[in-house]
Amino acid sequence: MAIKRLGDPIATAKESGRLSPDEVVGPTRPSDVSAEKAPAKAAAPSKAEAKGKGKPGRRAKVIAFANQKGGVAKTTTTLNLAVAFAETGHDVLAVDMDPQGNLTMSQGVDPDKVEKSMFDVLVHGMPIAEIIQKREIDVGVASIDLAGAEIAMSAQIGRERALEKALEVVRGDYDFVCIDTPPSLGLLTVNALTAADKVIVPVQCEYLSMRGLVQLQNTLHMIRENLNPKVEIEGILPTMLDSRTVHAKEAVEILEENFGDKVFETRIRKAIKFAEAPVRGASVLKYDPDGKAAGSYRSLAKEVLTHGS
Ligand SMILES: Nc1ncnc2c1ncn2[C@@H]1O[C@H](COP(=O)(O)OP(=O)(O)O)[C@@H](O)[C@H]1O
Ligand SMILES: [Mg+2]
């Protein structure tokens, strides 16, 4: 099963001890589910839940979408998976933690014209409910000044927990909170990973993209040790797959050899619809509801709903 590939970056990293399989794969999915379901049922509703106007006892599952490489479909996956959850009757909040504001833009909101944004939430402690805009899903919008948030937050006590704190108040109102992150492992991404229960890692199917996974693993390890012991990878998502090329097929095989069942069964193929939809300020599920592109994110939603907690 484990075909040895000489010169493969992930295999080399594993051998040199930079990437331990246990650390990478973590507990298997079935035990994830049982370990998390039991306490969730027994736990008393928190203050935030009591305040929440949602269903009693509800507590959103928070998923961060992370990969420090740009252009791997983080934003596309955050939005389309969030909309796929909403299509199945879930209340969903998508949070844009990227100063580029692509998620915000993809829902037809211009980050240059936004008055109140995640910047105010993170830096000034503004309640997140005040900056949420209702689109296909609820969006915690970004504005360009989010680019200055890391510096503005750097002297704050508890700077890594600003997002976690902000979300606590609204977790009773949603079933899922999906957090889009910037292409770096800086303070904004650290905030997302600290607030998250799970991480979904979109990976473009080529060797160079996969190298970055080692660095992300190291960051996650540090987050678990220092800030959020429970956070773990929900799954690794092969994106922008051009199944006609041998290279892409091999890249997916290497992912599966190294990450086992952490690799989602769903694959997101290359499709022009993904580039067209954001221009219309819509998800692919809205822009081309019956297309294959939309179907692939519905299938991902099904996988997460089936395997997750
Ligand atoms: N499956 C896909 N096929 C083709 N283009 C895609 C696909 N997924 C995303 N894109 C496009 O690739 C670009 C980068 O995607 P994006 O989600 O913004 O990546 P990231 O957030 O990781 O930087 C965008 O223009 C997006 O529309
Ligand atoms: Mg992005």
Side-chain angles (χ1 to χ4, degrees), residues 69-76 102 240 268-271 274-275 278:
K69 193 171 185 306
V72 297
K74 283 183 293 297
T75 302
T76 305
N102 291 344
M240 300 187 192
I268 312 294
R269 298 191 187 288
K270 259 191 191 149
F274 285 112

Side-chain angles (χ1 to χ4, degrees), residues 2-265:
I3 304 162
K4 180 118 169 149
R5 282 161 204 248
L6 290 175
D8 165 47
I10 292 188
T12 315
K14 269 173 73 180
E15 277 155 21
S16 69
R18 278 191 288 130
L19 183 74
S20 98
D22 291 347
E23 203 178 284
V24 170
V25 177
T28 58
R29 284 234 169 90
S31 67
D32 282 353
V33 173
S34 55
E36 287 199 359
K37 273 201 172 153
K41 268 183 196 160
S46 71
K47 247 193 227 167
E49 283 165 349
K51 261 198 265 170
K53 44 194 181 295
K55 302 162 194 164
R58 171 160 69 167
R59 186 165 167 79
K61 173 170 173 167
V62 180
I63 307 175
F65 296 74
N67 185 334
Q68 72 277 18
K69 193 171 185 306
V72 297
K74 283 183 293 297
T75 302
T76 305
T77 300
T78 309
L79 175 64
N80 288 289
L81 183 59
V83 171
F85 285 147
E87 267 190 7
T88 52
H90 296 92
D91 293 322
V92 185
L93 169 65
V95 177
D96 193 349
M97 289 288 277
D98 185 352
Q100 294 175 85
N102 291 344
L103 176 79
T104 302
M105 200 79 159
S106 301
Q107 282 290 273
V109 179
D110 184 348
D112 293 344
K113 296 187 179 140
V114 158
E115 280 181 15
K116 292 184 286 187
S117 76
M118 286 308 297
F119 177 87
D120 302 283
V121 173
L122 298 167
V123 176
H124 301 132
M126 183 181 279
I128 194 165
E130 287 187 29
I131 67 104
I132 288 172
Q133 300 208 21
K134 292 201 176 293
R135 291 294 187 271
E136 285 173 74
I137 36 143
D138 286 7
V139 185
V141 294
S143 58
I144 38 162
D145 54 4
L146 197 54
E150 294 201 343
I151 290 172
M153 290 162 81
S154 63
Q156 282 176 12
I157 292 174
R159 58 187 177 267
E160 294 97 347
R161 297 197 183 276
L163 180 61
E164 180 188 36
K165 214 171 136 194
L167 289 178
E168 195 55 41
V169 186
V170 293
R171 277 184 80 161
D173 298 340
Y174 296 99
D175 300 301
F176 289 96
V177 176
C178 299
I179 310 170
D180 190 21
T181 64
S184 80
L185 295 172
L187 191 52
L188 290 168
T189 300
V190 167
N191 260 268
L193 297 176
T194 303
D197 301 309
K198 302 281 179 180
V199 185
I200 288 180
V201 187
V203 179
Q204 204 180 342
C205 295
E206 51 172 69
Y207 295 127
L208 279 178
S209 296
M210 297 188 335
R211 283 178 69 113
L213 288 182
V214 177
Q215 210 183 337
L216 179 62
Q217 275 299 323
N218 290 342
T219 303
L220 262 180
H221 188 71
M222 273 167 22
I223 299 276
R224 268 197 292 270
E225 288 209 327
N226 297 296
L227 293 158
N228 183 9
K230 69 180 192 311
V231 66
E232 56 182 40
I233 292 182
E234 171 88 41
I236 294 171
L237 178 70
T239 63
M240 300 187 192
L241 198 71
D242 186 348
S243 51
R244 290 166 303 182
T245 67
V246 176
H247 179 74
K249 267 190 195 152
E250 276 192 2
V252 173
E253 278 170 23
I254 292 171
L255 263 187
E256 284 173 338
E257 281 162 21
N258 288 279
F259 294 91
D261 69 355
K262 282 285 159 186
V263 182
F264 284 115
E265 279 170 23

